[in-house]
Each structure stands twice: as C-alpha cells, then as structure tokens.
Amino acid sequence: MARKRRKRYHPPGTQPGTLAAHDEAGDVPVRITAFLYDANRCEERTVSLSEIPSLSPPEGGVLWVDVSGLSEPAAIQAIGDRFGIHPLALEDVMNIPQRPKVEWYGDRMLVILQEIRYPEPVEQMSFFLADRVVVSFQERPGDAFEPVRERVRKGKGRIRAEAADFLLYSLCDAVLDAFFPTLEKLGDAVEEMEERVLLSPVPETFLAIRRIKRELLAVRHAVWPARDALNQLLIEEHALIRPGTKVFLRDCYDHTIQLMDMVETFREMASGLVDEYMSAVSNRMNETMKVLTVMATIFIPLTFIAGIYGMNFDTKASPYNMPELAWAYGYPALLLLMAVVAGGMLYYFRRKRWI
Amino acid sequence: MARKRRKRYHPPGTQPGTLAAHDEAGDVPVRITAFLYDANRCEERTVSLSEIPSLSPPEGGVLWVDVSGLSEPAAIQAIGDRFGIHPLALEDVMNIPQRPKVEWYGDRMLVILQEIRYPEPVEQMSFFLADRVVVSFQERPGDAFEPVRERVRKGKGRIRAEAADFLLYSLCDAVLDAFFPTLEKLGDAVEEMEERVLLSPVPETFLAIRRIKRELLAVRHAVWPARDALNQLLIEEHALIRPGTKVFLRDCYDHTIQLMDMVETFREMASGLVDEYMSAVSNRMNETMKVLTVMATIFIPLTFIAGIYGMNFDTKASPYNMPELAWAYGYPALLLLMAVVAGGMLYYFRRKRWI
Amino acid sequence: MARKRRKRYHPPGTQPGTLAAHDEAGDVPVRITAFLYDANRCEERTVSLSEIPSLSPPEGGVLWVDVSGLSEPAAIQAIGDRFGIHPLALEDVMNIPQRPKVEWYGDRMLVILQEIRYPEPVEQMSFFLADRVVVSFQERPGDAFEPVRERVRKGKGRIRAEAADFLLYSLCDAVLDAFFPTLEKLGDAVEEMEERVLLSPVPETFLAIRRIKRELLAVRHAVWPARDALNQLLIEEHALIRPGTKVFLRDCYDHTIQLMDMVETFREMASGLVDEYMSAVSNRMNETMKVLTVMATIFIPLTFIAGIYGMNFDTKASPYNMPELAWAYGYPALLLLMAVVAGGMLYYFRRKRWI
Amino acid sequence: MARKRRKRYHPPGTQPGTLAAHDEAGDVPVRITAFLYDANRCEERTVSLSEIPSLSPPEGGVLWVDVSGLSEPAAIQAIGDRFGIHPLALEDVMNIPQRPKVEWYGDRMLVILQEIRYPEPVEQMSFFLADRVVVSFQERPGDAFEPVRERVRKGKGRIRAEAADFLLYSLCDAVLDAFFPTLEKLGDAVEEMEERVLLSPVPETFLAIRRIKRELLAVRHAVWPARDALNQLLIEEHALIRPGTKVFLRDCYDHTIQLMDMVETFREMASGLVDEYMSAVSNRMNETMKVLTVMATIFIPLTFIAGIYGMNFDTKASPYNMPELAWAYGYPALLLLMAVVAGGMLYYFRRKRWI
Amino acid sequence: MARKRRKRYHPPGTQPGTLAAHDEAGDVPVRITAFLYDANRCEERTVSLSEIPSLSPPEGGVLWVDVSGLSEPAAIQAIGDRFGIHPLALEDVMNIPQRPKVEWYGDRMLVILQEIRYPEPVEQMSFFLADRVVVSFQERPGDAFEPVRERVRKGKGRIRAEAADFLLYSLCDAVLDAFFPTLEKLGDAVEEMEERVLLSPVPETFLAIRRIKRELLAVRHAVWPARDALNQLLIEEHALIRPGTKVFLRDCYDHTIQLMDMVETFREMASGLVDEYMSAVSNRMNETMKVLTVMATIFIPLTFIAGIYGMNFDTKASPYNMPELAWAYGYPALLLLMAVVAGGMLYYFRRKRWI
C-alpha cells in the first residue's frame, strides 16, 4: 500500500509556476469528465482538450470537472486557464506529492488531500473550488468518488440541491472515508503481530512490524495535515463556503480526528511490539542459556569424577594410591555417587524452576 | 473491560446522515423511558414508538427521554424528528464509537461520552439537550444513572427545581464518576504487577502488563476528549447552559482532570514496569551465567589435572615419565591439590560475591 | 513520605455536595482554633462546635479559623454555613485528595494545596478566603504554619497590618517552603544511588531507584498544579487579592517554578539511573562471561591434549601408535607444550585486555 | 556534507557591532557583482571596493549586489555604510553561522538562511532588503543562484517586471530548493542502511547510521528556523513585502514544511535503525549461543560416558567392577548408546527449532 | 565547572524579605565599586559602607554600582534602602541560586542571570535597574565585565553616550557571551567521547558521558529561563527600556537562542552516546561469546574422540572391543580424523565470519 513515494521536486532553481509531468505520471492518459447539474437534471460527458475553453456551469447549477491522469501539462494548463487557477496552484497539482492543505487564491480555493485506499498506492487528490465550479485532479483512474457520482446522477440526498461547496465536501468526505478500511487492515495486522511476536521472535517478525510502522507513518502523514486543512476551512470565513456546509465539514473534520486517534493507538501498539520483540529475544536467549547451564552443570562434575578414576596412579606402589579401584563395590558405589550428584543438581534446578 | 471496539464505519461513500444499525447493536431491543418532572411532581413511563410524536415537556418542567438500545433506526429517527435532532447528530449517536465531544447545532446541543464502568464493556452515552428536553441514548440497558433517577423520582437535592442543563450535568457526572472504581481496579492491577515483575519475570507477566497498558489507553481515550468537551461547555456562552450550572460543570471538569492525573500516573508506572521486566530478565540471565561460570570454572581445571594423570606415558621407559604415579602419597597429594584449587576458586567467587 | 493515597471518591452517583468523612479521616478529632487580630492586638482561642455560628472577624481586623481534622461532617458543614462556603467547595475540602487548584465562588475563593513535609505523609491543605476571613482546613494536627502563627501572635513583620489576602499568601508560602527540605532529601537520595548503581547493580538498588522516582512523581503532582493555581491568582483580577499582595504571590509562584526545576532535574537524573543500572548489569554479565571464556579457553585445549595421551593405542602393535609415550622426555616435553599453549592464551587475553 | 561548524563567536565582551573576519573566511577573496535591471534591460558588472559608494539602483529598477567571500571587513563595512545596514545586522552577516531568521531594522530587513547543497559544506546566505535594493552575502563562490541570474539576465518569467521583494523571494526559493536533492541523498542512505543493518550488524554500520543522523540533524537545524522566518515574513505587514509576493512566499513556506516532513520521516526511520541494530546484535548473540549450546549439550554427555569407561577399576578384584569392559559386544553397544544419546539431543534441538 | 549547587532555601516559614548570608557566601568580603559617567567623563571609585547613602548618579549621567560578595546583609540592605530595592528583590539577590528572570517592581526592575564561565563555578549575577542607576550584584570577585568596564572608562563605542538601559544590556551581553567558550569545551568533550565510546566501552567512559550530560543540563538550566527573561524584556513596554536599546537586546536574545541550539544539539549527541555505549558493550559481549564458542566447539568433539580411545574395553575379550587400538595406523589415522574435524569447524566459523 504505502509504496515509497518521495517528493518529486523540480530541478532546483526551476522558475515558479513551471508545469512538467513527472516520470510516474507519464503513462496515464488524461481523461476529463464533466458533470453539469442543478436540482432538476444532470448531464455527464467526456470532454476533449478542445472543448475545455467552452466549459461553463449550467445556469443556477454546478459544474464538476474531474481530471484523471496528470501526464499532459498542456491539458492541465488549459483547464487552469479556463477557470483562472493560479500558476502556483497548478504547479502543486502536478508536483506530487504535496502535503494536504487548503489555500486561498483570492476568490478561489485549492484543497489537496492524499487518498490511501487499500490496497491502492497513495494518490494525490487536488480540488479547485470557484463560484459554481469544482475541478478535481487525480493521478490515475479509479477513486472513491463513485458513490458521489451516483448521488449526483440520481439526485439522491441533497447534493443536487446544494452549491459547489457541498460537492467539495462530498468529495473530501469520500477521500477520508476510504481511510477507515485501510486502518482496519493495519489494525488487524498489528493484532496478528501481537500473537506472532511472542511465539516466533525471528527477524522476519521484526521486519513485518517495521513495515506496519512505516505504513502507519504514511497514513499519519496523509491524515494529520488533512485535519489542519479541514480545521482551517471551518475557522476562516469565506464566501465560497456557506455556513450550512460547515456543519458537514465539521463532521468531516471529526472523522479526521477519529482517524488520528486510530493511527496513534495503532502506532503506540506497534511501538510496544518492538519492546515485546526485544523481550522475547531476551527470553529465548535465557532459555538457551538455561539448557546449556543445566547440561554443563550436571555433567561437568560427573566427568571430573570419572576423570579421577581414570588416573593411572600405581596402586601397587602404595596402599594410598587409589585403593578404591580394587574395592569390591567400588564401581557400583561410584555410579551411585554420580547418580546422587546428578540428582542433587536436578533438584537444585527444579527448585530454581529452570527445568 | 476494554473489549476491543473499533470504529464501525459506514461503507465509504455512504450518504451523510444515513442511519443504520451496527452489527453489535442488533440484539438489543430499543426501550424508551420518559421522565416528565417539575419541582412538584415526577411522572415516569415507558414510551412506545407511536407515542413519540406526542412527547412534550410538562409546562414549566423538564422532559427526559432515555433511549436504551440502538438497533432500530426507525425509532431513533422518530425521536430525532420529534425533537429536531440534526441528521449528522443522529448519525453520530448510532455510529458508535464516537470520540467524546460537544457539538452545537444552532439552539440544540449534542454531548457524547464513553462510559467505562467496570467490568462492563465500553458504552457510548449520547446526550441531546434542547430547551427543557434531554434525550439520552445508550447502547444497552444498565447504566450509571440509577442514582440520578432516584433523585428525580424522589425530588432529592435540587435536581427537580433546576432546568434541563442540570439534568444533563447530573448524567455526565454519573458517567464520569463510574470511571473512578475502574481506575482503582487498574491501579490495584499495576501494583500487583510491581510485585510480580521482579519475582517472576516470565512472558505471562509481560502479557499482563501489556493488557493493563491497553486498558489504561482505552480509559485515556475516553477521558481525554471528555475533558476537552467539558472545558468547551464551560468556556462557550450558550443560552442552554445557565451560569449557575457552570459551577457544577466546573466540578465535573475537575473530575476529568483528576481522572487524567490517575491515568497518567498509572501509565507512567506501567511503562516503568516494562523496564523492570527487562531488567529482571537480565538479572536472571546473569544469575544463570554465574552458576554456569562457577561450575565450569571450578571443575574444568580439576578435570584437566585428572586428565594429566590419566595419560599413559610409559613410566618404565624413562624416570621423567610421570614419576608421580608411583609416589607413595601421589594420589592423596593430588586430591589435596585439587581441593586447594577448588577452594581457591570458591574464595575468588565469594570475594566477587557471585556465591 | 509518599504513602500511597488514591483519590477516595464518593460511590458513583452520589448527589453533588454530599459531605462524608473518609476512612482515613475517621480517627482524627476536629479541632478548631480561631485567631482574631488587627494591627494592634491578637486573640487566639479554641472554638467549640456551638460557638461557630457566632464567629466574626474583629472590626477592621482579620479572622483566621484553622480547622484540623476532617472526621466530623457536621462541624465542617457548620463552618461552611457560617461563612457561606459553596457545597461543592466543602465537598472538595473533605474529598481528599484533590488536585491543587484555585476556584472562585462569586466573591469567595477556595485554594487547595498538597503539603509534602518530610517525613510526614502528604496532607491536603484547603484555604477558604472571604472578606476579612480565612478558613484553613487540614487533615491532621501538625503543620508548617507555626512560624505564621508566631508572626500573627507577636505582630512580627507586616502580617497584622495587612488584610486577609496576606494571611492567605503567608499560609500558602509556608506550605510551599516545606517542599524544599523534602526535595533536598530526595536529591541526596538520588546522589547516593548514583554511587551505588555502579558498585552494586542488584535488584535492591533498582527498587530504591523506583521508590525515589515514585516520590518525585508525588512531589510533581503536588507542585505542578500548585504552580498553575498561583499563576491564576496572579493573572485574574479579583477584589479579594490586592495588587500589593500580588508582589508576594509572585514570589511564591517563583518558588513553585524553582521547585519544578528541582523536581525535573532530579527526575532526569533518576531516569538516567535506570540506564546506568542496565548498563552496569550488562557490564557485570560481560565480566562473568570473560571469566568463563578465559578459564574454558585455557583449559579446554589442555584437557584435549591430556586426553590424547590417555588413549590406549597399543604401542606394541605398531611403531606409529603413540611412540611419544615411550620417549625419555615425552612427559616433560608435553608439560612444556601445555605451558606454552596456556601462556599463548594468556598473552592473547592480555592483549585483548580481558585479564 | 555536514562538515562540523560550530558558532564562531567573538571573544566574550567584544563590543557589539564589531566586524572581524573569521578564520574560515580568510582565504576567500571578496568578489562583488552588481545587477542593475528593470523590465527592459539588465546590466551586470563586477564592482571594485572604490565603486561601492556610487552604487545605486537604476531609475524604476532594482539593484542586486551579490557579495561572495567575507574575508575583508572593510569591504563589508563599505557596503553596509552605502546601504544603511545596521551594525548588528552586518555583524550577523560575518559572524557565521547564524540561525536562519528574519529581522527588521526600521525600513530595512535582514534575512539569513543556511544553504545545504549536496555535497558542498553548509554555507550561510544573508540577504539584505531595502527599497529597490537586495544585497546578498555568501561565504564562497558557488551557489544555487545561477538559474535566478539567468532569469534576470534574459528576462525570463516575471522577475524583471517585479520589485526587489520578488528577487528576494527568488533567491530564498533557490536556497530552499537546493535542500531537496540533499534530502533525497540522505533518504537513499537511510534505505541502504535498512538493508545493511540486518545483514551485517557490525560497528561500522552503527557509525554510518550515526553519521546519517548527524546530517539529518544539521538539515533540521537549517530548515526549522527557516520555516519560522518565512512564516514571520508572511504574517507581518511590511511595506517592503507586497501582497502579490506573499503568494509566492507562501509557496516557499510550503516547501519548508515539506522539507521538515521529509527530515522528520527520515529521522524517525533512522531512530528505528538503532533499535534494529540492537535487535540484530541480540539475534546474532542468540545464534552464537545456540551453536555453543548445541555442541556442548551433545558432546558433554558423550564425553562423560567415555570417561566412565576410561576408569581404571580393577575388573579382577571384583565381578562388580566394570564387567562391561569384558563383554563381547560392550564396545559396539556403547557406541550405539552414544549414537542414541546424540540422536535424542539432536531431535530435541530440532523440535526447539534451534537447528 | 558545574559544581553542585542546590537552592539554599531559608528555613521554611521564614518571614518574606528576610536577608541572611548563606554559608557559601560567608568568606567573600563585600566590595563595592561605583562608576559615575556621562558622555564626557567617567569616575571610578571604591565605596565604603558609610558612603552608600550619599551615592547619586551624576547629572545627566549614569551610576553603576557593582557589588561583589554577598556576605554582609547590612551592606546589601543599605544599598537596597538607598536605591529603593523591594525587600523581595533583595531576598532574591542573596538567596542564591535563583532561576534567571526579569521582574518589575513598579518603576524599577530586577534581572537575574546565572553566569557559567569556564572553568569557574556557576555564579549568580543580579542586576537592578532604576532611572539612571544600575546596581549589579555578584557572588565573588572575578567576572566577565572587564571589557564593559574598559569601554566605560575609555568611552569606547556608544556606551557612555547611552542611558542606564544600555549599560544593563552590555552587562547581560557579557554574561551570555561567556557561555560560548564553555559550550565549545563541552562540545569538544562530547566529540572526544564519540571516539572513546566505541574503542573502550568501560564504566569510566559511561561516567564521563554522565558528567557531560550533567553539565549540559546545568547550562540549559541557566540559558533557557534567560531566553524567556530577555524575550519578556523585548515584548513588554516599559519606560526604563528605550526602543533603541531593544535592537541590542534582540541581538542578545538571539544569542540565547543560539546557545539553546548548541545545548540541545550536544544533549542529543550525548544521548546518542548512551545508546552507542550499550551497543558497544553488547558487541564486546558478542565477541567474548564467539571466542568461547569457537574454542569450545572445536575442542569438545576432539576431546570426546580422545575420550573414546581412552576407554579400557578389554580388547582381548572380544574382537569387537576397540580393535582400532591395535591397528598399525590407528593413531595417525585418528590424529588425521581429529585434524579433519577441527578443520571442518574452522571452515564453518570462517564462513559464518566469526573468525
């Protein structure tokens, strides 16, 4: 999911506002779809490059231009020209990934979010809001907007009766809702690790924990600034965002807080897993050491005793030289002695609860 | 207690304000009880679905509608319609768990708290406050409100003489008071672990510590935002909350601070326990190692000496070949030497305080 | 010192403002002492329960009622009634321990502090300030107020010439001053541990460090909110606190900052001690391991060599079978070989600085 | 890259505003280049010390004085005198390194940034902004300004049509853009370490991780205060910075936030690497221990058994003395016994997954 | 340098404003020097106790009273009386150490700083600023003020032309400048430790790291509140501090930020050193373990084989009893076998890179 994606920067010193397609963007053709709707009807059509200059919201209605694929700077530039998007805003749209943010350019607004929709890679969603117009830019086809499109097409709920700000809210909400299943998956992964970490504290487990932490970090980087951006939308007064829509944006903001709560909980759990892994490795080492100690401690004295009676002192030279060797019950007695020593050791280890 | 409970989210893209019963809510039938009271009298009755539209607060009095069970969206919707609850507020009531919060919807207010009442699982308590009306929603029968009900029924204290905001305060206070015994239990558990961690640093102990940390985290997640919510109630001016009630809410806010203090203290103690566990494991390992070292270090030289005199050099071939074997006191002298070596080792270890 | 003291809460759901003596409070009889003073004279007397309603500050002077022992709700209630103390304030006085705080109830004020006066257990000090009246509540006889009483009795300093707010300041200052010797003791304990932790990293040392950290945490819990409370006193404008007294309260606030500095320094040092303990345990283990390795590595090859010449190959069967056994200098040469091997090992270990 | 560079301070007590060249600055000759441009033309020339007093911006245009090399206090002083730079500002320019900051001196402004342009060492860039004048000071020749110079020379983009504040923005942007490739390199290094840390947890790897952490810290020290400085430029109203330029500065500020995000992510990853290193060392130790334990545990009992039958009990003295020695199949049976013991051990270790 | 210095508190309950010399202050005689200067002349003289009441600033000029030694409360009191220093301010001057701070007492001001001038112990510097008067109190003779005195005596720079606030700034600046060489020394020490920690991870190294951390903590405790104090001077409007002086104070404030940056960098490096020490100890242990394992694993099987052929099975009793003993090449073959076993082991360890 959290495929590595570094900031693809312009070569240092590039003139501000320069549009250039990034390597990763290159293969995806640009597809532009327009929805023109008001309370009573909805028209949906694919738009070619040449039609862009004539795109207009229907009278009393809303125009939603959905751009998927960022490989053609010319098309993006044409849309920017048509709707008066600031060159720096356009640059942010193409210069993926940007940090989620809200920016006002006079009476227009740019909202950038990062979508993490399991198991897709991260995708930047940029929304441009002007009077009665929403332009959405996405990196690839495939998004979380299908339910919104359905509602626009069929006029379900209040979406067709509302202005462009409500459409913006609906799209942001769709992006943020897609985080919940992703986090659910990560939560399951954390819990699976909790089982595994104590049973098999092997390096693979450690790597799996690291991978989960990495993905949680990616989600955090996508959600944390989104929360700030939504808060900014709520606080600042702007003609484009009507008070009635703010109630809905507050709900959306609330979701980001819940997402952060989940992320932080999982991150804390994942951090605990590293401790547990280290503790499990220590415990294993202790077990290994105990086996060695028990074996060595039992047999080393026995071997010593056997060594004693393997000495070659000349029993004939003196009656003091190992007379035991010639005793009638010397050997059985020695075996008994050895058994007693071993038994004593075992009893000692049993009492120490090592075996 | 802290039974796992993830956010049960709508499928991404669900229309905002959609009410749907969650799996967990499914088995609990909805029971609606209404209290109608003023300073002089109190009427308590069970309300059926059809009676909802005609529910009204008594003249000059307060209406408390207590809804237990969230399995029937129709009932919840009916109550929402009757009292003008915003669709997003209703969605939050059903979409458990929500983060504790306070939200104003014009002249109405929604308060959400999480109740952790040992040994019950976490339960979301949602309160809706309007002029002379309080509606409380709970997930299941069984709550901390019985003393409040008693006071309302019998007119104990000032509750019947006060307005709806005082009832809201009383209910919030009851929810928060229930945290104290829960934390007491967790504090006892932490202290029990402090004994155990040094005596038996086994993986089970580690798991028990982890469990306690998990439950403290759950309490923290319930109390921390509740504190913010109460603070918001105190700071913001709103006609529904009279200044006289704020003195009581301040007391309630104070309780959340005390709860946070307790939670943080226990959490710090529990974090220390992990260190202690690791240190105890290390100490055990050190003990094991010392036993091994003492045994090996005493017997390895002795075994070597015995090995020397087990060699088969031909004593007859040369007078230099192990003449000791034929000495009259060779064997006793050797045993003495061995005793001296062992004694020296023991003295050395005693001085190092290993034995 | 930091005897465990959890919040003794009412049973959940208790009506707000209910007064009840706590178990711990039970044995200490209530003693009430009144100081009536103005610039010229000072009267000190013990007050019985029946005299409470007639207590009044002298004309142009100050009344200080000092209540020691919280076992009789009736007495506390009588004092509360006489001086118009809010029921919630009285509840906080009896419901020990409360977090240190300042609370205004209209034109009256409640200040709660925790006194940690070595080696006494923690004691809650509650101060109620009204016009020309200070009521102080303490859990037990024995306090840090004796120097204040002396100054009131003998008219030393400016205390008798000032109003009730200066008395309040003097009492708070006395409580906070008592922290300094306590922290001095804890600082000494931390420094003693720094010596011990490297010399004898045994579990007892770890437990002692844990105990110190616990006590520092207790002091922190008493001082940190006291700082906030004093800051609040400084910032908020209130008729009861005259600007001239604020200069003194600022000094008092300054002391809390110094106390926090000391606490945090000691806490940081104590945290470092845990690291040092772990490092000392590791070092010990390393030492143990080196002893084992040195002994084993020297004697294992020697024992092997001795084992070789203990084999029973039939020297008569073949000239290749251990002819060394019959050499004239075989045995001395072997002993020499062994000495060389052992010496080489010792040299190797010496170079590695293991011995 | 992050060559060690401590603050080179004046000797304590030096009079404020004293200019002195620092050791490090000593070898680099001062080169002064002036750009005089307006919308229509651009003049670029090298300026000698004597020409400084006569430098002026062209009518309706902008003067950019670029000073490279800080070895001659006299030249710096002359420029300061010509453009009215405050002595303390000049001192900051020469007293490298300063923390990145923005400072207003009446109607003039000083901006200080640190440039980290891989693989160059850190270089302080100081910008002085006055009405129609920008003076830039750098420690050495070689900078990230070439694209800006190109745009000024050739009139590309809007730079020649804008005022001095836009030139300041362009220079700051160039400095900050140079951080991206540097961070990319550090990110690659972190990822390379992630591979290496598990494969070869040797001290060299640890040192490499430490080096990366050091360099990330250096970047952080350069970017964090730059972010604050840019934010200050955005927030404060000042005649020198026109609102139109603020949109561009906001973009620049946005870059610092992205840089901080990258730095913090890499720092978190690098911190995780230390844990992984320790865990890999532990795992290695565990492996070593297992090898030892397996070998010792298999052979110690076998050696003991062999020791038994190496004893010299006199078989003729008693039928109980080691009769096995004379059995016909004694030796093969014993070898079989040994094989069984060794096999049992191996089976036990296999089941424990040690081998 | 960072000689231990705890807060020397009054006995708890001491009347506020009581002056008492502390033990440490006792031996240093009080020396009072006065500088009376204006733009044109400067008079410097030693002042006796009896002259204090008649000290006055020259007309249109500034009086600087420098008090060194705090052993005589009477002298301090006399100065306080002469210049109207608040009793609590005087108490702070004598009650060393105080936290660095700025305090206004009506139209007078107290500034307290801690001077850490390597290798001197910490010294409290208190400055009292009134109209045209600065009184400085230091614990001992010897300070960082000599360059300031020179500038006052010789009229270098602007100091004689400025008011008392500029003198105060110059003194504060001198105190703060003295931190830079101290931190340089600590930085060198940290870097030296970085070399040593990997080469010789012995407890002495750990102690040295601990000592450095302690000293960094002491510097932090001196600089951090000084930063806040200077910031307060900058922000608050007060007639005693003229706007022109604030530019210089801002420079001074900037130095404290640079100092904090250095302290935090060194602290972070020192914290990393503890990790490195632990890792180096672990590595050493691993090395030890490998030596043991290699030796034991090579020789244990060899010893076992030798043990086999040391058994006394009666070769005459049966042809199956150790016939090898009588083989012609038995012994050489066995030695060869042993060499093969040892070689195999060595090869295995070489492949595992243990040797």
Side-chain angles (χ1 to χ4, degrees), chain D residues 48-168:
Chain D
S48 69
L49 194 51
S50 59
E51 291 169 296
I52 292 171
S54 60
L55 271 176
S56 276
E59 191 147 335
V62 172
L63 169 66
W64 170 21
V65 182
D66 184 32
V67 183
S68 131
L70 301 172
S71 55
E72 296 172 39
I76 308 297
Q77 185 66 57
I79 290 168
D81 290 347
R82 169 65 194 88
F83 297 108
I85 307 181
H86 193 283
L88 289 175
L90 275 190
E91 198 186 339
D92 282 350
V93 165
M94 297 203 66
N95 234 354
I96 47 174
Q98 294 289 322
R99 210 178 132 87
K101 61 179 173 183
V102 167
E103 273 181 351
W104 275 270
Y105 292 90
D107 58 348
R108 275 109 214 266
M109 191 172 72
L110 176 74
V111 177
I112 289 180
L113 295 178
Q114 297 294 335
E115 180 181 284
I116 301 188
R117 198 163 45 101
Y118 187 83
E120 299 288 315
V122 185
E123 184 178 355
Q124 173 166 324
M125 295 294 180
S126 314
F127 305 104
F128 174 77
L129 176 69
D131 182 35
R132 294 195 292 143
V133 175
V134 169
V135 187
S136 57
F137 298 92
Q138 26 178 322
E139 297 182 43
R140 300 178 287 281
D143 53 35
F145 299 160
E146 213 42 54
V148 179
R149 286 196 194 93
E150 266 321 279
R151 273 182 268 150
V152 169
R153 280 176 197 132
K154 310 223 166 118
K156 278 194 296 191
R158 58 167 77 193
I159 194 164
R160 288 235 303 249
E162 298 273 352
D165 56 351
F166 195 86
L167 176 61
L168 177 75

Side-chain angles (χ1 to χ4, degrees), chain B residues 281-290, chain C residues 281 284-285 288:
Chain B
V281 168
S282 266
N283 269 313
R284 290 260 157 148
M285 191 132 64
N286 209 354
E287 286 309 305
T288 314
M289 190 89 88
K290 277 182 192 168
Chain C
V281 168
R284 290 259 158 150
M285 190 132 63
T288 314

Side-chain angles (χ1 to χ4, degrees), chain D residues 10-77:
Chain D
H10 285 308
T14 306
Q15 192 170 325
T18 305
L19 293 193
H22 283 287
D23 294 350
E24 214 169 296
D27 307 344
V28 185
V30 176
R31 279 203 58 219
I32 306 173
T33 319
F35 285 76
L36 298 98
Y37 66 85
D38 58 20
N40 303 314
R41 58 195 189 78
C42 169
E43 187 198 341
E44 175 179 1
R45 58 177 151 103
T46 303
V47 179
S48 69
L49 194 51
S50 59
E51 291 169 296
I52 292 171
S54 60
L55 271 176
S56 276
E59 191 147 335
V62 172
L63 169 66
W64 170 21
V65 182
D66 184 32
V67 183
S68 131
L70 301 172
S71 55
E72 296 172 39
I76 308 297
Q77 185 66 57

Side-chain angles (χ1 to χ4, degrees), chain A residues 32-38 43-45 47 51-66 79 82-83 128-136 152 162-165 167-168 171:
Chain A
I32 306 173
T33 320
F35 285 75
L36 298 97
Y37 65 85
D38 59 19
E43 187 198 342
E44 176 179 0
R45 59 177 151 104
V47 179
E51 290 170 296
I52 292 170
S54 59
L55 271 175
S56 277
E59 191 149 334
V62 171
L63 168 67
W64 170 23
V65 182
D66 184 33
I79 291 168
R82 169 64 195 89
F83 298 107
F128 174 76
L129 176 68
D131 183 34
R132 293 195 293 142
V133 175
V134 170
V135 186
S136 57
V152 170
E162 298 274 353
D165 57 350
L167 176 61
L168 177 75
L171 296 173

Side-chain angles (χ1 to χ4, degrees), chain A residues 4 8 67-69 133 145 186 189 251 290 301 310 312 336 345:
Chain A
K4 183 181 87 176
R8 259 163 313 286
V67 182
S68 131
V133 175
F145 299 159
L186 284 169
D251 190 61
K290 276 181 191 168
N312 296 321
L336 192 67
M345 286 290 170

Side-chain angles (χ1 to χ4, degrees), chain C residues 197-213:
Chain C
V197 78
L198 291 174
L199 294 176
S200 80
V202 291
E204 286 72 36
T205 308
F206 195 90
L207 285 179
I209 296 171
R210 180 167 90 180
R211 208 161 36 240
I212 292 171
K213 288 177 78 177

Side-chain angles (χ1 to χ4, degrees), chain B residues 31-321:
Chain B
R31 279 202 58 218
I32 306 173
T33 320
F35 285 76
L36 298 98
Y37 66 85
D38 59 20
N40 303 315
R41 59 196 185 80
C42 169
E43 187 197 342
E44 176 178 0
R45 58 176 151 104
T46 302
V47 178
S48 68
L49 194 51
S50 60
E51 290 170 297
I52 292 171
S54 59
L55 271 175
S56 277
E59 192 149 334
V62 171
L63 168 66
W64 170 21
V65 181
D66 184 32
V67 182
S68 131
L70 302 171
S71 54
E72 297 172 39
I76 308 297
Q77 187 66 57
I79 290 168
D81 290 346
R82 168 65 194 88
F83 297 108
I85 306 181
H86 194 283
L88 289 174
L90 274 190
E91 198 186 338
D92 283 350
V93 165
M94 297 203 68
N95 234 354
I96 47 174
Q98 293 289 321
R99 210 178 132 87
K101 62 179 173 182
V102 166
E103 274 182 352
W104 274 270
Y105 291 89
D107 58 347
R108 275 109 216 266
M109 192 173 73
L110 175 74
V111 177
I112 290 181
L113 295 178
Q114 297 292 337
E115 181 182 283
I116 302 189
R117 198 163 46 100
Y118 188 83
E120 299 288 316
V122 185
E123 183 177 357
Q124 174 165 323
M125 295 294 181
S126 314
F127 305 104
F128 174 77
L129 175 68
D131 182 36
R132 293 196 292 143
V133 175
V134 170
V135 186
S136 57
F137 297 91
Q138 27 178 321
E139 298 183 43
R140 299 179 288 281
D143 54 34
F145 299 159
E146 212 43 54
V148 180
R149 287 196 192 93
E150 267 320 281
R151 274 183 266 149
V152 170
R153 280 177 197 132
K154 310 224 167 117
K156 278 194 296 191
R158 58 166 79 192
I159 196 164
R160 287 235 305 249
E162 299 274 352
D165 56 350
F166 195 86
L167 176 61
L168 177 75
Y169 148 72
S170 303
L171 296 172
C172 291
D173 196 47
V175 169
L176 290 170
D177 272 3
F179 278 92
F180 284 102
T182 306
L183 273 174
E184 195 86 347
K185 289 267 183 285
L186 284 170
D188 290 345
V190 168
E191 273 169 26
E192 191 201 322
M193 280 304 124
E194 296 199 327
E195 308 279 304
R196 251 169 73 182
V197 79
L198 291 175
L199 293 177
S200 80
V202 291
E204 287 72 37
T205 307
F206 194 90
L207 286 179
I209 295 170
R210 179 167 91 178
R211 209 160 37 239
I212 292 171
K213 287 177 78 177
R214 230 23 87 69
E215 303 205 338
L216 284 168
L217 195 58
V219 174
R220 194 171 187 271
H221 275 305
V223 177
W224 189 266
R227 201 196 60 152
D228 291 348
L230 280 163
N231 192 30
Q232 217 182 325
L233 274 183
L234 283 177
I235 289 172
E236 296 189 31
E237 296 292 331
H238 201 285
L240 279 178
I241 308 286
R242 296 164 306 151
T245 307
K246 285 205 174 170
V247 175
F248 288 89
L249 284 170
R250 189 176 64 185
D251 191 59
C252 207
Y253 171 69
D254 223 61
H255 287 179
T256 59
I257 295 186
Q258 283 175 345
L259 286 168
M260 281 314 302
D261 261 20
M262 290 168 80
V263 169
E264 294 307 324
T265 304
F266 295 156
R267 269 166 61 92
E268 188 153 332
M269 285 161 83
S271 283
L273 285 174
V274 174
D275 279 356
E276 284 168 46
Y277 176 81
M278 296 301 275
S279 124
V281 168
S282 266
N283 269 313
R284 290 260 157 148
M285 191 132 64
N286 209 354
E287 286 309 305
T288 314
M289 190 89 88
K290 277 182 192 168
V291 168
L292 174 61
T293 303
V294 167
M295 290 304 286
T297 306
I298 289 175
F299 284 104
I300 283 179
L302 301 186
T303 305
F304 165 66
I305 295 171
I308 290 277
Y309 292 100
M311 293 193 295
N312 296 323
F313 279 94
D314 190 348
T315 48
K316 288 158 209 147
S318 146
Y320 304 117
N321 275 356

Side-chain angles (χ1 to χ4, degrees), chain C residues 15 25 74 79 123 129 156 332:
Chain C
Q15 192 171 325
I79 290 167
E123 182 178 357
L129 175 68
K156 279 194 295 190

